[in-house]
Amino acid sequence: MPTFHSTALGKSMEYWSCNHSKSTSKVILQNTKSEREPQQKCDQPLEKCGTNRNEVSEISDDNSAVQGKKKGGKISQGNLGRKNLHYEHTGYKLLPSKLQEGDRNVAISTQTTRRNKKRGKWHNEEQIHITVWKDTKPEERETGEDTQGKTMGNWFKVTIPHGRKYDKAWLMNTVQSHCIVPFTPVDFHYIRNQARFFVQDVKTASALKDISYKICDEENRKISVFVNTSAVPYSMQNKFTPEQMEQLKLTMSKRYDVSQQVLNLQKLRFDSDLVGHDIHMILNRRNCMFATLQIIESNFPELLSLNMQNNKLYQLDGLSDIIEKAPKVKILNLSKNELRTTKELDKLKGLKLEELWLEGNPLCSTFPDQSAYVSAIQDCFPNLLRLDGQEISTPVVIDPDAPKLIKPCKESYKGSETLKNLVLQFLQEYYLIYDYGDRQGLLSAYHDEACFSLTIPFNPKDPAPNSLCKYFKYSRNMKKLKDSNMRRQLLKHTKHDIVDYLSVLPKTEHDFSCLMVDMWFQTETMLCFSVNGVFKEGVLFAVLEAEGKSQGCVHAFTRTFIAIPTNNSSICIMNDELIVRNASRDEIQSSFSIPMPALFSTSMPTLSQEQQEMVKVFSTQSGMKLEWSQKCLEDNEWNYTRAGQVFIMLQFFGRHNIFSADTTSLFERGAEDRTRAAHMPGEPLPLEPHPQPQQSNLLMNTKYYFKSQRN
Amino acid sequence: MGDKPIWEQIGSSFIQHYYQLFDNDRTQLGAIYIDASCLTWEGQQFQGKAAIVEKLTSLPFQKIQHSITAQDHQPTPDSCIISMVVGQLKADEDPIMGFHQMFLLKNINDAWVCTNDMFRLALHNFG
């Protein structure tokens, strides 16, 4: 691996001491091209190619270095005019925009691209190095490079490694907002993984150096900013003369249709007017694109549609300025150019395009099928309506009001309504088992690695509220529980532990009529919501067992769930935190207020003869007491079959996995919901008006339904 | 073994810090939130540090005192901590009310910040 030394770079250089440089395949090279040595063999690329340009580029691995050598040889014979040594320059690679001929651009770019693909990735940088390149030998710097002899002041090149992954607008906004000196970036472009732009004066440059590592991206990685002196940025070089600009404006005006606000810049290079005046508008060149956009900005600011067909465009760095200069553009025609990847289109992301033409670009054939192509383009331009002349379906728009922690995944839900329903359904099924079923049935609701804990508030003024004393031994209140072992034990981990523990907790009946569910947030990977309400201890029907005894104690609770999606479009719990507290008087009085059927008095209401018959039979078959049979039948509007189905369903809940989005919710009283229960596995539904005697398990199973606490 | 698991330590100290700030000078609460934070206050949602601090400082009381009666902390799948707090509060001369609050804490740049905060008074609501 070649090493390079500061001698080649002039004095007072601190080096980019990449700690990984020995182990990774990245090597940072000094810019190796010099107009004095066009014929370099580049065996020792770094030693020989010794200009004092302080361009820094990388070659990622030895292969490409080797390639580079070969190509360097070829390229060096090419037309490496002085002005070509600007961006991204190793002597092996030249951005083709620097070459004279438009066609040659294409050829070289192919090679470049190939090499790019072989390159490895940047390592995740944990390095905290700030390289300050104080200066180079200034006299060698600019003068030879600038054909027009313009030294346009001190220019500095600002590099942001890994900058390619950031959206240009976001990046520049962030950088500009943190930089104490306001500035306008010039010639922003992406090069390999980096983002680069130029600024003009020393104050800006130092201000920018200062913000390195002080700004963070959305994933909280620090962003580094490197500032080096540089030659004049390309668009500032070779500026067109005022006369040329005037001619350009005239030509463009001829191509502008005022009524439609369409500017047709097809094949601009070969426009006879321009050629006649010896103006070569090679739009791949930064200065040409810059000039074009300048004219658009000053003369056609209302531009709606821009046609850049057939201009051999292979990169859109220059065109990205259109976002600022002609923001109203809605229609863009880039067909029949040389765009190879959608990454080029990413540079235009700020444009709210409605119509785009891309056919005839190499990138179009890189997709497996039409819909992959369309959706890739839609990712860049979410509001796009037409692509290549065809209408495309509008993508899902995410509800902007939903609280977001991270941008939610589009596929995972179609809006907060669906999510709410999912959660509600989940909770209904959960509490049905929790209250009425065997809590072992909750195993499928929990993830293998789930956590659960229960806490009771400790109120010093009211030391031992009797009603909650049952829970105390299960409580993991940090304030009370000092024993860390106990604490650890009481944080239940793994679904089996949790469910075993839940089975031991007192039986409950939650008041579903006033349960409040708060959706906290959803991310791509998890969903958090909490449930507030009250529940009664024991089962409601305990009243009948011991008349005169007060109703089961009512407690208030808050339970927070963090859930993750499962394969079968449902959710399972990862974290479950339950707090049980004393209910206030208001809460008690207002809970369970839905009037109980008159059933709960000891006298039987009058039923018709037929109904009484039904009740008797049901009671025999199910083994339930007459009162309960009546209740069940009443609830089901005296539809015997349906009542039976419901009854059986309740029994099976404890044993079968019902956590799927399709499961019937039993709390809705609609008829269709009940009949849907037919899909439940288990025994067929045998209850008919005069059937055979029931199996004995029915009898046994009814007991848990009706008895109070079973500890 | 007197070792508390790390999430409990972090959760407890966060809770202590939070209510201390809240009771003494809630304008300083901005430090524990980030721009991606979300607060749900009695069902209303506020996103972003600025909005959250604005809501908290604009609450209609001068003095506030919180008394925590229960707290619990759990680690979450993505290395965050979820903390649940139940307690009582007294604002100005109002009667004491119960409340519960939940925090989701995340480690960002070696500091634990609150990314989600949910507060409810212990009143019973009917849907």
Side-chain angles (χ1 to χ4, degrees):
Chain A
M1 187 119 13
T3 52
F4 40 100
H5 308 285
S6 48
T7 49
L9 294 170
K11 30 199 165 177
S12 69
M13 294 286 191
E14 227 180 293
Y15 239 85
W16 167 264
S17 62
C18 181
N19 285 333
H20 304 293
S21 63
K22 311 254 168 16
S23 50
T24 69
S25 51
K26 268 197 317 275
V27 166
I28 297 187
L29 289 186
Q30 175 64 343
N31 187 338
T32 56
K33 223 25 183 177
S34 155
E35 66 253 40
R36 288 184 291 231
E37 300 178 358
Q39 305 286 338
Q40 41 195 318
K41 297 292 178 195
C42 297
D43 296 317
Q44 309 298 326
L46 302 170
E47 292 354 290
K48 297 222 169 139
C49 312
T51 55
N52 297 308
R53 304 289 312 280
N54 36 4
E55 297 269 352
V56 170
S57 324
E58 326 123 43
I59 290 193
S60 68
D61 54 40
D62 285 318
N63 280 343
S64 63
V66 168
Q67 280 176 12
K69 284 181 207 159
K70 292 191 200 138
K71 297 209 162 68
K74 279 190 219 149
I75 290 179
S76 67
Q77 287 152 22
N79 185 356
L80 291 178
R82 287 156 293 181
K83 49 185 145 175
N84 298 331
L85 304 181
H86 210 250
Y87 299 141
E88 158 48 323
H89 192 84
T90 62
Y92 309 142
K93 287 181 265 227
L94 290 178
L95 263 197
S97 61
K98 311 307 177 286
L99 297 183
Q100 300 286 22
E101 300 303 321
D103 293 332
R104 220 121 148 240
N105 295 351
V106 178
I108 309 277
S109 78
T110 315
Q111 295 163 355
T112 311
T113 320
R114 240 187 271 134
R115 195 177 312 128
N116 287 345
K117 282 185 196 147
K118 287 198 184 152
R119 193 188 340 234
K121 292 195 194 142
W122 278 94
H123 267 245
N124 232 358
E125 28 142 62
E126 248 71 15
Q127 311 138 10
I128 319 278
H129 307 283
I130 296 186
T131 302
V132 174
W133 295 43
K134 297 280 191 241
D135 61 43
T136 55
K137 296 180 188 147
E139 62 274 12
E140 290 170 1
R141 192 170 28 116
E142 264 46 85
T143 47
E145 307 300 341
D146 196 342
T147 45
Q148 291 170 356
K150 293 186 209 152
T151 46
M152 299 178 53
N154 283 340
W155 282 92
F156 296 85
K157 180 183 59 169
V158 182
T159 305
I160 296 174
H162 302 275
R164 190 184 271 280
K165 63 184 176 187
Y166 305 122
D167 170 59
K168 172 188 175 186
W170 177 85
L171 183 60
M172 292 319 301
N173 276 340
T174 313
V175 170
Q176 282 174 315
S177 57
H178 283 85
C179 180
I180 50 180
V181 176
F183 66 93
T184 314
V186 173
D187 278 7
F188 180 95
H189 65 287
Y190 295 106
I191 178 173
R192 286 185 297 257
N193 279 339
Q194 302 168 343
R196 269 198 210 161
F197 60 91
F198 295 82
V199 293
Q200 198 165 1
D201 71 295
V202 178
K203 281 208 201 96
T204 313
S206 356
L208 283 171
K209 272 184 217 154
D210 285 338
I211 67 173
S212 182
Y213 288 106
K214 298 225 174 77
I215 46 182
C216 290
D217 67 13
E218 287 157 347
E219 284 152 15
N220 297 308
R221 287 215 208 97
K222 297 202 167 108
I223 297 179
S224 50
V225 178
F226 295 87
V227 181
N228 310 320
T229 48
S230 89
V232 179
Y234 203 60
S235 67
M236 294 294 144
Q237 289 185 10
N238 305 318
K239 269 191 154 167
F240 290 101
T241 64
E243 297 84 9
Q244 288 176 317
M245 289 296 274
E246 191 53 38
Q247 180 56 47
L248 188 57
K249 185 177 95 174
L250 281 176
T251 309
M252 283 170 70
S253 303
K254 282 193 206 163
R255 287 164 164 263
Y256 182 63
D257 177 348
V258 180
S259 60
Q260 307 275 341
Q261 289 161 310
V262 178
L263 178 59
N264 186 343
L265 297 180
Q266 279 194 69
K267 286 198 182 160
L268 195 59
R269 170 89 203 273
F270 301 107
D271 183 289
S272 46
D273 269 4
L274 295 176
V275 171
H277 282 87
D278 201 24
I279 299 175
H280 302 282
M281 287 305 287
I282 299 170
L283 285 174
N284 276 313
R285 291 211 196 142
R286 201 84 194 219
N287 62 334
C288 297
M289 183 64 85
F290 186 77
T292 309
L293 290 177
Q294 254 190 328
I295 291 183
I296 293 179
E297 186 185 30
S298 21
N299 298 292
F300 318 115
E302 297 301 309
L303 186 64
L304 267 184
S305 167
L306 179 60
N307 184 339
M308 293 217 143
Q309 207 185 45
N310 255 317
N311 277 297
K312 295 201 163 72
L313 293 172
Y314 59 85
Q315 48 83 12
L316 296 178
D317 287 300
L319 189 56
S320 68
D321 287 338
I322 198 178
I323 300 171
E324 286 101 30
K325 298 203 151 79
K328 299 207 179 147
V329 167
K330 296 261 177 295
I331 302 175
L332 183 60
N333 187 334
L334 292 170
S335 57
K336 301 205 180 109
N337 279 298
E338 303 289 342
L339 299 169
R340 304 196 147 261
T341 68
T342 49
K343 285 205 183 119
E344 297 301 328
L345 294 172
D346 282 346
K347 297 171 187 169
L348 301 179
K349 254 190 180 162
L351 267 186
K352 297 192 173 39
L353 283 184
E354 285 173 11
E355 184 174 324
L356 177 63
W357 294 78
L358 285 176
E359 58 193 5
N361 279 290
L363 70 85
C364 297
S365 47
T366 61
F367 294 95
D369 58 37
Q370 180 68 5
S371 59
Y373 166 58
V374 172
S375 64
I377 306 300
Q378 271 182 317
D379 282 343
C380 294
F381 304 108
N383 297 313
L384 198 64
L385 298 175
R386 283 178 296 284
L387 177 61
D388 292 337
Q390 295 194 339
E391 302 264 339
I392 54 182
S393 55
T394 44
V396 173
V397 174
I398 295 178
D399 175 5
D401 298 323
K404 294 181 186 71
L405 185 58
I406 305 169
K407 296 193 193 66
C409 182
K410 275 185 205 178
E411 298 83 66
S412 65
Y413 71 105
K414 288 188 180 54
S416 40
E417 226 21 72
T418 313
L419 208 58
K420 269 189 221 157
N421 288 338
L422 180 66
V423 167
L424 284 175
Q425 187 141 42
F426 176 85
L427 285 173
Q428 283 170 347
E429 289 158 3
Y430 184 93
Y431 278 107
L432 190 70
I433 297 189
Y434 197 85
D435 283 351
Y436 300 117
D438 180 350
R439 285 180 186 161
Q440 288 292 329
L442 295 172
L443 267 177
S444 45
Y446 287 91
H447 188 272
D448 285 334
E449 298 292 313
C451 284
F452 168 80
S453 62
L454 163 66
T455 307
I456 311 283
F458 168 63
N459 189 343
K461 292 189 192 127
D462 187 9
N466 293 330
S467 52
L468 283 178
C469 58
K470 269 191 213 65
Y471 286 94
F472 272 160
K473 66 176 170 180
Y474 305 114
S475 163
R476 205 175 152 262
N477 184 354
M478 297 293 105
K479 284 191 82 149
K480 272 209 91 177
L481 197 52
K482 303 296 180 197
D483 181 347
S484 59
N485 273 333
M486 228 1 216
R487 266 207 284 245
R488 204 172 339 126
Q489 279 176 32
L490 288 178
L491 174 60
K492 296 299 167 190
H493 189 227
T494 78
K495 63 182 183 186
H496 289 282
D497 279 354
I498 293 177
V499 170
D500 288 341
Y501 189 61
L502 290 177
S503 304
V504 164
L505 290 177
K507 269 255 180 252
T508 57
E509 188 185 356
H510 291 75
D511 181 359
F512 295 105
S513 61
C514 49
L515 214 59
M516 181 153 57
V517 178
D518 278 314
M519 298 283 294
W520 267 36
F521 65 89
Q522 63 271 352
T523 70
E524 289 164 353
T525 49
M526 61 188 206
L527 179 62
C528 185
F529 53 95
S530 62
V531 184
N532 293 292
V534 294
F535 65 86
K536 229 183 246 284
E537 258 188 57
V539 175
L540 198 57
F541 306 135
V543 159
L544 278 192
E545 299 240 347
E547 281 159 61
K549 180 175 159 188
S550 60
Q551 286 195 328
C553 300
V554 174
H555 302 301
F557 77 96
T558 303
R559 195 161 186 171
T560 305
F561 293 97
I562 293 185
I564 55 177
T566 61
N567 293 338
N568 55 343
S569 64
S570 176
I571 51 180
C572 73
I573 304 173
M574 274 304 280
N575 289 76
D576 180 355
E577 219 169 2
L578 171 60
I579 292 185
V580 179
R581 55 188 171 82
N582 281 328
S584 66
R585 210 172 301 139
D586 281 340
E587 285 174 316
I588 297 178
Q589 277 172 358
S590 48
S591 67
F592 296 101
S593 65
I594 291 177
M596 289 300 142
L599 189 55
F600 285 88
S601 59
T602 46
S603 61
M604 291 268 270
T606 40
L607 299 174
S608 71
Q609 186 61 30
E610 191 191 46
Q611 285 174 329
Q612 286 184 27
E613 264 303 307
M614 234 194 244
V615 171
K616 277 196 203 124
V617 178
F618 196 101
S619 173
T620 315
Q621 291 194 332
S622 66
M624 293 202 287
K625 292 187 192 168
L626 287 172
E627 297 92 339
W628 305 123
S629 305
Q630 183 174 338
K631 175 170 181 5
C632 197
L633 284 165
E634 276 177 353
D635 284 348
N636 289 283
E637 287 144 25
W638 298 99
N639 178 331
Y640 196 106
T641 315
R642 211 170 68 193
Q645 287 173 3
V646 169
F647 178 77
I648 289 183
M649 209 181 347
L650 283 176
Q651 298 173 57
F652 280 104
F653 271 150
R655 288 190 254 136
H656 295 277
N657 179 4
I658 64 160
F659 285 97
S660 74
D662 292 325
T663 306
T664 306
S665 158
L666 282 190
F667 295 149
E668 291 167 50
R669 300 275 171 181
E672 53 280 16
D673 293 332
R674 293 268 163 77
T675 50
R676 253 191 281 149
H679 78 273
M680 291 295 299
E683 295 163 24
L685 304 170
L687 299 181
E688 284 158 13
H690 301 284
Q692 268 82 42
Q694 281 309 295
Q695 300 163 15
S696 56
N697 60 354
L698 270 183
L699 257 172
M700 286 189 317
N701 283 324
T702 57
K703 293 204 170 106
Y704 75 75
Y705 184 57
F706 299 111
K707 287 271 188 232
S708 62
Q709 288 105 321
R710 168 182 66 126
N711 265 347
Chain B
M1 174 166 35
D3 247 3
K4 277 212 256 180
I6 182 90
W7 62 84
E8 286 180 24
Q9 293 174 29
I10 294 170
S12 312
S13 36
F14 173 86
I15 298 291
Q16 197 187 10
H17 182 58
Y18 178 89
Y19 288 104
Q20 198 175 25
L21 270 184
F22 203 110
D23 290 352
N24 294 332
D25 182 5
R26 57 190 193 273
T27 58
Q28 296 183 29
L29 280 171
I32 61 159
Y33 297 100
I34 55 174
D35 287 332
S37 294
C38 197
L39 164 69
T40 307
W41 184 275
E42 284 288 314
Q44 259 191 308
Q45 277 153 4
F46 301 89
Q47 188 161 18
K49 186 201 281 238
I52 293 177
V53 174
E54 202 201 304
K55 170 66 186 176
L56 294 177
T57 48
S58 69
L59 289 170
F61 47 75
Q62 306 270 43
K63 274 193 323 170
I64 176 95
Q65 258 184 303
H66 290 85
S67 162
I68 311 298
T69 51
Q71 52 172 311
D72 194 2
H73 314 279
Q74 282 183 14
T76 70
D78 56 348
S79 313
C80 292
I81 297 177
I82 180 166
S83 297
M84 243 170 121
V85 175
V86 171
Q88 293 181 317
L89 56 81
K90 184 173 165 70
D92 288 338
E93 301 308 322
D94 296 341
I96 295 181
M97 283 194 288
F99 76 94
H100 55 86
Q101 193 160 12
M102 245 102 58
F103 302 93
L104 191 71
L105 307 177
K106 188 171 165 139
N107 186 339
I108 293 178
N109 295 338
D110 285 333
W112 285 89
V113 297
C114 174
T115 53
N116 289 74
D117 177 352
M118 210 220 61
F119 175 92
R120 280 246 174 227
L121 289 169
L123 306 169
H124 205 49
N125 292 323
F126 280 100

